[in-house]
Amino acid sequence: MPRSARSRNRVRPAWTPPPAAAAAASFATSPVYRPRRPAATSPYRVIEHPLKTFLARAEADELRPVPRWTEREFRQYLTCGILAYGFARARCGDCHQERLIAFSCKGRGVCPSCTNRRMAEVAAHLRDRVIPRVPVRQWVLSVPKRLRPALARDPDLAGAVLRILLRVIHRALRDTAGAPLPAEARLGAISFLHRFGSALNPHPHFHLAVTDGLFIKEPDEALTFHPARRLDAETARNLTPLVQRRVLRLYVRRELLTRAEADDMLRWRGTGGFSLDGSVRVAAHDRAGLERLLRYCARPPFALHRLRHATPNRPLSSPDTRLVYPLPRPARDGRTTLRLAPLELLDRLARLIPPPRLHRHRYHGVFAPNAAWRKQVVRHGREHTEDTDASGLTPVAGTDPCRHTPDPSPSAARARSRWAQLLARVYEIDPLRCPACHGEMRIVSFLTDPPVVRQILEHLDLPVRAPPLAPA
């Protein structure tokens, strides 16, 4: 290796103990980031041990076929947080302490760390950069089991059903505004297509975070928000039959149902398996509640950290081994947990991993990327100032507090500071804070060359090899 490469890749030990008094004071005043050890966790072992057997049986047609992206998602999860696959070096500018930060897999379905980070990041972005300080209502639409397979496999059909729902919600907001509104009044919405249920079962359904009112633009170009006055949970539930009729007509037009089948479903008891809920509303001032709602909408398909062994004395390779997955609420048959064999668990998880290159959430109305009013409603990098409220819109003196005009764009320095705050909130602790002096650390290099990675890990007495997969 050239000398320049050796000097560039040389790293100090990950922990250089500071003086005892300074260390005690620093650790007492602030939490310290601790690198995770994924290979030592139960979810990692549950995926790693039966994976080869699961893929071999799927290839032999003993189980459902496994798409390539699903296999890739499983394998990438087993590389997440493993230093042997490469890492970043971070260095403190004050005391020169260094830390190794393992690369993440950036998975969208299996990895608990990456999916939870993505959930927190999406919620923080939507709260800080997209949704202004207006009331927001969650709408949840579920369709009968007979309609779900087509909804899960056809993104165009899912988009058409979503447009039907948005038109119904828009009409309801207009009817409950308390005053006539012009035709150009618009809502803002973010939609999430969930492909999973709480019992690790395929269940495509929609969650939407919608402004609980409509925006209009006045002749003087000021933006005004008109909240819904008479919209409650019962009113929202009464919209279900309208959604039911329109969705069934859509399925008939696309030849997914016959007219006789659609008419028969309209005669089913109640709303025939359709469910529309709008009972959750977040007030304009409750920004913490809004972020919790958005995290719920952006949550991953399952929570692997909730898995536990029902038979801890048996190895994972034993046919009698069972895993327990607690349900968030009792099932219809009264069960509160799922008891699954390791292969059964992988089979269920494989069905819930979302396909690649499909958006997990979408923007509608005034939040849409090409919306004419987006710049007034959504202030990229907006900040709190003395004359600006938390929505990034400046109240007009002597007028209704819902009436706003845009304030000047923030500076790039402010945008960078907001990024640092977002990073700390996503991780819930700052990974770039020095564990010795609590100074600011910064990334100085990224290392992926196997010989260099191995040399550094050997010097630090860390594992140089990734955990091997169990044989099939």
Side-chain angles (χ1 to χ4, degrees), residues 139 172 175-176 230-241 276 278:
W139 296 80
D175 292 344
T176 58
R230 303 186 305 274
L231 184 58
D232 54 19
E234 184 64 25
T235 305
R237 192 160 44 248
N238 292 337
L239 300 173
T240 308
L276 180 62

Side-chain angles (χ1 to χ4, degrees), residues 17 25 28 51 61 123-124 129 132 181 186 210 225 230 233 279 287 315 351 363 366 386 410 426 445 448:
L51 180 59
D61 295 331
R129 307 300 180 106
L181 296 179
R186 302 172 188 175
V210 185
F225 179 76
R230 303 186 305 274
S279 59
R287 305 300 283 178
R351 301 171 65 189
Y363 301 89
V366 294
E386 293 181 358
V426 167
S445 64
T448 57

Side-chain angles (χ1 to χ4, degrees), residues 137 139 168-178 181 187 210-214 226-229 231:
R137 186 179 297 271
W139 296 80
V168 170
I169 294 174
H170 185 275
R171 179 61 181 270
L173 294 174
R174 178 184 293 276
D175 292 344
T176 58
L181 296 179
L187 56 73
V210 185
T211 57
D212 204 34
L214 300 175
H226 290 263
R229 305 290 183 184
L231 184 58

Side-chain angles (χ1 to χ4, degrees), residues 164-358:
I164 289 174
L165 177 58
L166 286 168
R167 286 195 294 268
V168 170
I169 294 174
H170 185 275
R171 179 61 181 270
L173 294 174
R174 178 184 293 276
D175 292 344
T176 58
L181 296 179
E184 64 271 12
R186 302 172 188 175
L187 56 73
I190 298 102
S191 64
F192 302 80
L193 174 58
H194 288 196
R195 301 174 179 274
F196 52 88
S198 59
L200 301 183
N201 59 307
H203 179 198
H205 61 287
F206 295 97
H207 286 251
L208 289 82
V210 185
T211 57
D212 204 34
L214 300 175
F215 292 92
I216 66 170
K217 184 172 281 192
E218 303 292 349
D220 61 354
E221 297 299 314
L223 200 64
T224 305
F225 179 76
H226 290 263
R229 305 290 183 184
R230 303 186 305 274
L231 184 58
D232 54 19
E234 184 64 25
T235 305
R237 192 160 44 248
N238 292 337
L239 300 173
T240 308
L242 177 59
V243 175
Q244 176 192 26
R245 293 193 298 271
R246 293 186 178 184
V247 170
L248 290 177
R249 284 203 300 266
L250 171 67
Y251 271 67
V252 171
R253 287 198 304 271
R254 299 198 174 208
E255 299 181 350
L256 299 171
L257 288 176
T258 65
R259 173 63 64 181
E261 291 171 335
D263 292 340
D264 180 62
M265 294 182 70
L266 286 172
R267 289 191 292 268
W268 287 1
R269 185 175 58 184
T271 54
F274 284 83
S275 173
L276 180 62
D277 179 78
S279 59
V280 177
R281 183 182 186 273
V282 179
H285 64 273
D286 188 5
R287 305 300 283 178
L290 175 62
E291 187 165 359
R292 287 194 298 270
L293 171 64
L294 293 170
R295 285 194 179 202
Y296 176 75
C297 292
R299 71 188 187 278
F302 41 83
L304 279 179
H305 66 274
R306 288 159 54 184
L307 274 177
R308 61 181 178 85
H309 286 271
T311 53
N313 296 327
R314 297 181 183 275
L316 286 172
S317 57
S318 171
D320 298 326
T321 298
R322 291 296 179 268
L323 304 169
V324 173
Y325 185 82
L327 300 178
R329 64 184 64 85
R332 291 186 176 181
D333 57 4
R335 290 181 302 164
T336 58
T337 60
L338 294 177
R339 292 177 62 91
L340 304 169
L343 289 180
E344 292 176 322
L345 175 68
L346 290 188
D347 187 45
R348 289 202 179 207
L349 298 187
R351 301 171 65 189
L352 304 183
I353 296 174
R357 295 179 293 278
L358 287 181

Side-chain angles (χ1 to χ4, degrees), residues 62-82:
E62 298 179 23
L63 296 172
R64 271 186 290 262
V66 177
R68 288 185 179 180
W69 79 76
T70 300
E71 179 180 351
R72 183 169 60 248
E73 189 84 16
F74 281 125
R75 293 187 180 276
Q76 285 179 345
Y77 165 57
L78 298 179
T79 69
C80 187
I82 305 297

